[in-house]
Amino acid sequence: YPPDCSEITCANLKLLPSSAIKTPRIANTQVQLECVLYRHLLIGDDPTDLVLGKIVKVHIRKEILNSQKKIDVVKLNPLG
């Protein structure tokens, strides 16, 4: 996206307030994770950032759960 366009706006995404953190979450998803920074590491001789987060809240759409309240991968239809 061009530098003057917010990725949220350019990708036509909607935001929802989070319940455990200040940062809003993306509404257009089946599962949303609210995370806080656990650790930030620089790795390698030409340092690359490795950012690790701690999940503090999970939001899952009811429509993708099976009768045992677990995520049905077919209903989830993941990209990868």
Side-chain angles (χ1 to χ4, degrees):
Y1 299 107
D4 61 335
C5 183
S6 160
E7 292 174 357
I8 299 297
T9 303
C10 288
N12 199 29
L13 299 174
K14 305 294 180 226
L15 297 177
L16 290 171
S18 294
S19 56
I21 62 173
K22 292 180 183 178
T23 307
R25 54 196 165 103
I26 297 173
N28 316 57
T29 60
Q30 302 278 27
V31 178
Q32 298 128 18
L33 306 176
E34 294 185 36
C35 303
V36 295
L37 180 64
Y38 174 73
R39 189 162 294 159
H40 176 211
L41 303 169
L42 294 175
I43 298 181
D45 296 331
D46 183 18
T48 298
D49 293 286
L50 174 62
V51 179
L52 303 173
K54 177 182 177 185
I55 299 169
V56 295
K57 180 76 175 177
V58 178
H59 303 270
I60 303 171
R61 292 191 186 267
K62 293 176 186 172
E63 297 82 18
I64 66 168
L65 298 177
N66 63 22
S67 58
Q68 290 83 35
K69 305 291 185 205
K70 299 200 184 244
I71 293 175
D72 182 322
V73 178
V74 174
K75 292 178 183 177
L76 176 62
N77 192 24
L79 292 174

